[in-house]
Amino acid sequence: MDALYNTHVKLLAFDFLKLTPSPTDPSSFFRRGKRLSRAETVGIVVTRDLKPGKFVKFTIDDGSGCISCVLWLNQLNSSYFSRRNPSDVRLIAQAATDFASDLQLGVLARVRGRITDYRGALQISVSDVVVERDPNMQILHWLDCMRSLVMLLARILDSDCSASCARICGVER
Amino acid sequence: MATSAVRFGALVTLEELVPSSPQFTQGASLRVTGKLQEYDIETAIASIVEGNASLKIDTQHLKVNLRIGSLYQFIGELLIDPSNQAILRARVGRNVDGMDLNLYHQSLQLLRDFQAEQMNSTTS
């Protein structure tokens, strides 16, 4: 059962970059045998490239690696969105514009979205952004990611790794 | 600059940044945390401290408000001069007043142990 498929799984960049694309489904990625489609990262915005009306590409550095992200800003001109209710599209476009203005260099941001593969490089196609004012949120994200991976490992056949990771994290199995 | 070209800042404490450590390498991308002790407005060189260690930070490319006594975190590249003096040329910086430093240090070590365990399990 793909319990994680529609959740934004908290991933360290170190882990995110090891995801393997599904050979049959472009929206699915595998991590230790579990199928995922969405991810959440928390880290510092270290690059930002804004193309108004099109997209903002940025990079999140979470201390274990860098994750490339893209936030689309072209909803008002997109043929994909032309089929939807115009007032809904305006709301989506405004939310995306607001997120883009929050994403300044040096801020700590929590970013969620779909995992995508762009020309062989993994990235997040962003659905929402929260700027974290509390600097401890970066630490909490590390701990959340480690804890969720230990729980995942406890369910699969890598018992030596899951036992030692559980011991490191002090998690009961 | 292509987003894929940027290297992540490896987490390191100032006390670990000694010439004998592996992170003390020319051009190493690091993330450091410390309290702002000094700041020279003309040169834009700041000095941060953590425990008994200190590090100079070149902040000329940053747009962050610097206040003496506040905690800051910087990501950038380490530049080492011929006399083995290091300075971090920061790309980004942020105020981290309110960060629980005990928790930070414990979690940093936990993260390192965790990543090492992951690497061992994939190579064995």
Side-chain angles (χ1 to χ4, degrees), chain A residues 111-173:
Chain A
V111 173
R112 304 196 310 172
R114 285 188 175 278
I115 305 165
T116 56
D117 183 335
Y118 179 67
R119 297 182 179 176
L122 291 170
Q123 65 180 26
I124 292 179
S125 180
V126 178
S127 55
D128 51 87
V129 174
V130 172
V131 170
E132 294 286 4
R133 309 272 177 220
D134 184 342
N136 296 298
M137 285 302 174
Q138 174 77 94
I139 304 168
L140 178 61
H141 179 71
W142 296 337
L143 299 175
D144 275 340
C145 292
M146 289 190 276
R147 187 168 175 276
S148 79
L149 185 56
V150 167
M151 298 301 184
L152 174 67
L153 292 173
R155 294 189 178 102
I156 61 177
L157 295 176
D158 197 1
S159 56
D160 286 344
C161 179
S162 82
S164 25
C165 288
R167 208 172 41 247
I168 288 167
C169 292
V171 174
E172 280 186 24
R173 291 184 53 226

Side-chain angles (χ1 to χ4, degrees), chain A residues 12 14-15 18 32 44-47 57-59 61-66 68 105-106 108 135-136 138-139 142-143 146 149-150 153 158 160-161 164-165 168-169, chain B residues 1-4 6-11 31 73 75 91-101 103-104 107-108 110-111 113-119 121-122:
Chain A
L12 291 168
F14 172 75
D15 245 339
K18 291 194 274 188
R32 294 186 177 263
I44 300 177
V45 178
V46 291
T47 71
K57 283 189 184 173
F58 59 99
T59 309
D61 179 334
D62 77 349
S64 76
C66 280
S68 295
L105 284 182
L108 182 68
N136 296 298
Q138 174 77 94
I139 304 168
W142 296 337
L143 299 175
M146 289 190 276
L149 185 56
V150 167
L153 292 173
D158 197 1
D160 286 344
C161 179
S164 25
C165 288
I168 288 167
C169 292
Chain B
M1 181 174 77
T3 53
S4 59
V6 73
R7 287 175 299 171
F8 77 95
L11 293 158
R31 186 196 292 208
Q73 195 167 72
I75 298 177
R91 290 184 262 122
V92 292
R94 64 182 184 125
N95 183 306
V96 292
D97 281 340
M99 181 185 275
D100 182 332
L101 288 175
L103 179 65
Y104 176 70
S107 303
L108 201 155
L110 199 63
L111 189 60
D113 292 344
F114 192 83
Q115 286 182 263
E117 184 61 43
Q118 295 287 296
M119 306 265 280
S121 76
T122 53

